[in-house]
Amino acid sequence: MLCTVIKSIIVSPKLDTMTQMDYKYSLLGPSLDDYRKRPLLLQVDNTPMNPFAVLEVKRDAQKHSNNQGCFCKIRVYGILFGLAVMFVIMASYVLNGDKKGLLLTPSPYHFSTLVNPGLFAFNLSTEKDYAHIKLVVKSIKSKVEFGSSRHNPELNALIKTDPHMFSVIPHKFLPGIKNPCWHEEYTGNRTSDPYRNNMYGRYSRRFRTVFQHLRSSFHKHLFYRNKKIYRMRCLPYFYIIGQPKCGTTDLYDRLRRHPDVKFTTFKEPHWWTRKRFGEASASTMWDNNAWVYFYDNTSEGEPPFLIQDFIHAVQPDARFIVMLRDPVERLYSDYLYFGIANKSAEDFQEKVSESLQLFEGCLMEYTMRSCVYNTTVNNAMPVRLQVGLYIIYLMDWLRVFNREQILVLRLEDHACNRKYTMHKVFDFLGLGPLTKEIESEITESPASNTRRPADKNLGPMMAITKEILREFYTPFNAKLAKVLQNDSFLWENP
């Protein structure tokens, strides 16, 4: 009876995989301790500085005990002053939208070509700077290559890197259910909060409300067998894996209205990319930035294991939906959405110029694929150029999964004809038919996650910026169109 009830439901167990007490789960394994021991650097004007250095207040040996209290007060005031100075410095950088002087993410890779951020400021409206950036783009294009010597890792190697995950996910799943599901014995206290150690529930008021609902219904889904308590666990039947600012939220909001579909409690748990170390996390396709903290550098600057390797190992029949858009427009939308302050078309132009030069600097020492996956470069670039290099990521996914398992859509097509794209998705997932009322609700509802009014008021990017970006992305779009056998992915007439 239980299998019949959830046969057509697409669910995810990710919400409580972070619970450690009941299931002895470990979020990141022993590597987390090593990561915490790494220094946190504050870099101002290219000079790395230990933030705790400003808190040191030397204290001479005191001969008289009645003076010790005075010096303690001075030390306390010194610490408070140091904290205030550090806060002001960091706040000023954030408010100015200038993060190039703050190194908040430790990484083992640094490049000699990236030593002077001050050299990156350019004004494309001047002939000299425009010519220089054109040369930078030309240099990048000359190094574009799509070959890879990467071999899919053996299963034993994957298990060795994450033995816990493979120990809790079985090799065989329950029959007659679309999702990969299994029964798991529940050993927790029935009267205690099953989500007490789940970090998701602490993110925001909205998440806390969601988890309150989960707590109230959790015990209703438990069942008894042979004097033991069990619950059903499932992996997602399909994933919306990318890309950010390409319409994944709108697709998610429409698809979850289908009666055969049930998503995770919230859209982007980022479990595979950021919490394991699904759902509809737009980071799943491209974000492997955490690899440098967990794997040895034995692959010449490239991640030895990718997200898709692990997904394939536990569910080789999974299906994936990718939504893409013109990478030039995607980048500007990304900048407007994630930018903190002082956003403008001129500021975007400067950040594009800086990012292009950083990317070129990486290519002087490493391969194209290495630079796309390079955590240092990705963190240093003020705009995420690499996210728009769709073909690099897609080819890596196609080395692991069959082409028939990946549906690639364009936001431009979805915006023009939502009914057509949604039916493609329904057919791809093998979903049941809809009534006219539900179909109308799915296809005719307003678009989700559109550009905010304040960002709309900033207007489009500068024409010269668009020209530079168009030239940069052209060879990658050409390869994408060739692989997908669809010239609309050239985005020649956006």
Side-chain angles (χ1 to χ4, degrees):
M1 180 63 182
L2 184 59
C3 294
T4 304
V5 171
I6 69 165
K7 183 174 182 179
S8 62
I9 293 180
I10 298 170
V11 296
S12 170
K14 301 301 186 289
L15 285 177
D16 49 354
T17 54
M18 298 174 70
T19 302
Q20 297 181 13
M21 183 173 297
D22 294 343
Y23 302 98
K24 300 180 181 179
Y25 284 0
S26 177
L27 180 59
L28 296 177
S31 299
L32 181 61
D33 295 331
D34 297 334
Y35 173 72
R36 286 171 174 166
K37 294 176 183 177
R38 300 190 183 195
L40 179 67
L41 298 180
L42 173 67
Q43 181 174 316
V44 181
D45 296 331
N46 307 325
T47 304
M49 175 177 62
N50 188 324
F52 295 102
V54 299
L55 306 184
E56 283 190 34
V57 180
K58 293 186 178 180
R59 182 173 57 178
D60 296 330
Q62 302 300 315
K63 297 181 180 180
H64 304 288
S65 60
N66 59 347
N67 291 331
Q68 291 180 357
C70 179
F71 279 94
C72 286
K73 290 182 179 180
I74 293 175
R75 186 169 182 267
V76 170
Y77 290 140
I79 292 175
L80 293 175
F81 177 75
L83 287 171
V85 169
M86 189 166 56
F87 174 79
V88 170
I89 293 173
M90 296 180 71
S92 65
Y93 271 66
V94 171
L95 291 175
N96 285 322
D98 185 0
K99 304 186 190 107
K100 65 191 176 188
L102 288 175
L103 183 58
L104 298 178
T105 305
S107 174
Y109 301 102
H110 301 280
F111 301 99
S112 59
T113 51
L114 309 181
V115 295
N116 193 348
L119 296 177
F120 293 128
F122 280 87
N123 182 358
L124 294 183
S125 60
T126 66
E127 185 175 344
K128 179 180 178 181
D129 289 350
Y130 172 75
H132 176 82
I133 293 300
K134 292 280 285 187
L135 288 175
V136 169
V137 174
K138 183 178 180 180
S139 173
I140 293 173
K141 292 174 66 176
S142 70
K143 298 177 177 65
V144 171
E145 42 83 22
F146 300 104
S148 174
S149 58
R150 181 180 189 269
H151 299 284
N152 294 343
E154 298 292 334
L155 177 60
N156 289 338
L158 293 170
I159 294 175
K160 186 178 179 180
T161 64
D162 199 338
H164 171 73
M165 184 186 73
F166 288 97
S167 69
V168 297
I169 299 178
H171 300 293
K172 294 183 179 181
F173 302 108
L174 297 175
I177 304 176
K178 211 166 190 178
N179 289 59
C181 296
W182 67 98
H183 291 146
E184 177 185 83
E185 182 181 356
Y186 179 65
T187 58
N189 189 329
R190 290 204 62 191
T191 61
S192 64
D193 178 9
Y195 299 103
R196 62 187 178 277
N197 295 325
N198 194 301
M199 298 302 177
Y200 285 109
R202 304 177 186 178
Y203 281 177
S204 70
R205 180 178 300 177
R206 179 172 65 89
F207 289 169
R208 288 195 293 271
T209 302
V210 168
F211 272 86
Q212 186 58 40
H213 169 73
L214 290 175
R215 291 185 187 96
S216 64
S217 61
F218 179 83
H219 296 290
K220 299 177 184 177
H221 297 286
L222 299 177
F223 66 97
Y224 293 86
R225 179 186 297 169
N226 299 327
K227 297 181 179 181
K228 294 182 179 180
I229 304 175
Y230 292 88
R231 63 171 175 163
M232 179 172 283
R233 310 300 305 276
C234 296
L235 293 171
Y237 171 62
F238 71 96
Y239 299 83
I240 300 175
I241 61 174
Q243 291 284 64
K245 306 314 299 173
C246 289
T248 58
T249 299
D250 187 74
L251 177 62
Y252 164 84
D253 284 339
R254 296 180 192 281
L255 193 50
R256 68 177 179 172
R257 301 184 188 193
H258 196 291
D260 289 352
V261 176
K262 182 176 179 60
F263 272 100
T264 50
T265 306
F266 44 94
K267 175 179 177 272
E268 300 191 18
H270 297 290
W271 191 83
W272 285 104
T273 55
R274 302 172 189 175
K275 302 297 189 300
R276 177 187 63 84
F277 311 24
E279 23 95 354
S281 298
S283 64
T284 305
M285 180 177 178
W286 65 275
D287 189 352
N288 285 271
N289 282 337
W291 76 269
V292 295
Y293 306 121
F294 302 104
Y295 310 131
D296 294 331
N297 182 29
T298 57
S299 53
E300 299 181 351
E302 297 184 12
F305 309 109
L306 298 173
I307 298 303
Q308 52 267 38
D309 296 327
F310 291 95
I311 298 178
H312 184 269
V314 296
Q315 50 180 144
D317 298 324
R319 302 181 81 77
F320 306 91
I321 301 173
V322 181
M323 183 82 88
L324 305 177
R325 73 188 289 189
D326 179 357
V328 176
E329 297 297 335
R330 192 220 69 83
L331 187 64
Y332 190 51
S333 179
D334 196 73
Y335 162 80
L336 293 177
Y337 186 82
F338 293 105
I340 297 175
N342 299 330
K343 293 180 289 187
S344 67
E346 292 76 15
D347 180 66
F348 177 65
Q349 173 186 282
E350 293 178 5
K351 286 178 166 52
V352 167
S353 300
E354 179 177 338
S355 299
L356 286 169
Q357 291 171 95
L358 287 166
F359 196 67
E360 183 203 22
C362 179
L363 289 173
M364 291 179 179
E365 302 183 33
Y366 293 89
T367 65
M368 174 65 67
R369 190 171 176 276
S370 297
C371 292
V372 170
Y373 285 112
N374 189 284
T375 302
T376 297
V377 175
N378 291 343
N379 289 339
M381 290 192 295
V383 290
R384 302 192 293 182
L385 281 174
Q386 81 282 4
V387 177
L389 304 179
Y390 309 137
I391 186 58
I392 302 294
Y393 306 111
L394 182 62
M395 289 178 69
D396 278 342
W397 279 82
L398 290 174
R399 290 187 182 98
V400 179
F401 288 96
N402 294 327
R403 176 69 181 88
E404 294 74 22
Q405 292 176 258
I406 304 176
L407 175 65
V408 183
L409 304 171
R410 295 196 331 148
L411 174 60
E412 293 84 357
D413 300 329
H414 179 66
C416 292
N417 192 339
R418 295 189 183 98
K419 186 174 182 178
Y420 171 75
T421 56
M422 293 310 299
H423 275 281
K424 285 191 69 172
V425 172
F426 298 156
D427 292 341
F428 176 71
L429 298 177
L431 303 181
L434 296 169
T435 64
K436 291 184 178 180
E437 291 77 12
I438 295 179
E439 180 178 301
S440 177
E441 180 185 350
I442 291 175
T443 60
E444 297 179 10
S445 58
S448 301
N449 200 26
T450 57
R451 187 166 296 178
R452 295 169 293 214
D455 291 336
K456 288 182 179 179
N457 292 337
L458 296 177
M461 74 182 82
M462 300 174 67
I464 198 169
T465 312
K466 180 177 289 191
E467 175 193 337
I468 292 294
L469 287 173
R470 184 77 60 204
E471 185 175 352
F472 168 72
Y473 283 117
T474 290
F476 302 96
N477 294 344
K479 181 65 173 181
L480 178 67
K482 183 178 181 180
V483 169
L484 297 178
Q485 299 181 350
N486 186 341
D487 286 346
S488 65
F489 288 95
L490 293 170
W491 284 287
E492 292 180 328
N493 299 304

